Amino acid sequence: VAALVWSLDTTRSAKEVWSALTQTALDKGNPGRDDYYGHGIVQAAAAALLLANDNFTLVPTASPTVHLPCINDPKGWFDIDGDVYGCEWYAIESYCELYGSGFQNFGKTGNEACCVCGGGGIDFKLQTSSPAPSPTPSKLASSKPSAEPSSSPSEVCIDSPENWSDAVDNFNCNWYGIDDRCSLFGNNYENFGKTANQAC
């Protein structure tokens, strides 16, 4: 992972890459570094973004620190008992601790899917007003190489219409995204004029 992050900016030293990886690791277990999880789960994209920041410092400090917002993953997740038991429900009192490791749905438990329970994912959408074209290629890899540097963030997949579900069983895009359900059922059960393969 360190080689991948370093390959995005080969002017960075090993110490800088290590520092970025440890500063952006998703902490697990006891707060801070521990013997079981080390610094936590490596977040390569977050480390690359931190290294791309002009204000990057070697020593972990309170400023600057990259804070990427957490998003519930999958979006709209709820447990096997129904949509009443979503991430908002788990935020009540100590429900994450009491129920978060059970009641799996869409392949995840509340502790894995909900930010409030320590799960979820990182929202990598860059918030920019109107980006100016860059005179040099971006340090971050592009999924579609081009002759000219990209002047805008990568496209983000958005369900259209938002919160789409099929007309028959009320299964949503999260359900269709599990395993090979899109290939098996994605062209059936149209709702709002679209099938899952068109809406998700």
Side-chain angles (χ1 to χ4, degrees):
V1 174
L4 168 70
V5 173
W6 175 77
S7 73
L8 299 173
D9 182 357
T10 57
T11 65
R12 295 295 188 168
S13 68
K15 196 170 193 173
E16 288 174 312
V17 171
W18 177 85
S19 182
L21 287 169
T22 58
Q23 287 182 53
T24 58
L26 182 62
D27 196 18
K28 290 289 185 182
N30 294 329
R33 193 205 171 288
D34 60 67
D35 290 336
Y36 188 77
Y37 290 100
H39 289 281
I41 298 172
V42 175
Q43 305 293 310
L49 287 172
L50 180 59
L51 281 174
N53 184 337
D54 291 336
N55 297 322
F56 172 73
T57 59
L58 274 176
V59 197
T61 61
S63 171
T65 303
V66 173
H67 293 284
L68 298 172
C70 182
I71 55 172
N72 297 327
D73 181 31
K75 183 179 177 185
W77 179 90
F78 51 88
D79 76 23
I80 196 69
D81 285 338
D83 60 3
V84 169
Y85 303 100
C87 293
E88 296 78 22
W89 183 84
Y90 278 87
I92 300 170
E93 297 177 16
S94 57
Y95 288 0
C96 290
E97 184 179 325
L98 294 171
Y99 310 109
S101 60
F103 308 98
Q104 184 179 41
N105 198 16
F106 306 115
K108 292 190 176 184
T109 64
N111 287 345
E112 297 167 324
C114 303
C115 294
V116 69
C117 296
I122 297 175
D123 186 358
F124 286 105
K125 291 183 280 185
L126 300 175
Q127 304 297 324
T128 58
S129 47
S130 55
S134 173
T136 58
S138 171
K139 293 178 184 178
L140 298 176
S142 170
S143 61
K144 296 180 182 176
S146 63
E148 297 290 61
S150 173
S151 62
S152 62
S154 303
E155 287 185 35
V156 176
C157 181
I158 298 174
D159 300 337
S160 175
E162 192 173 339
N163 298 321
W164 178 92
S165 63
D166 68 32
V168 177
D169 293 313
N170 213 18
F171 290 129
N172 62 18
C173 290
N174 292 331
W175 184 87
Y176 279 93
I178 297 172
D179 298 323
D180 58 349
R181 292 176 179 170
C182 279
S183 62
L184 294 173
F185 312 109
N187 289 322
N188 304 324
Y189 313 114
E190 184 177 295
N191 197 11
F192 304 111
K194 293 185 176 183
T195 64
N197 285 344
Q198 296 166 326
C200 302

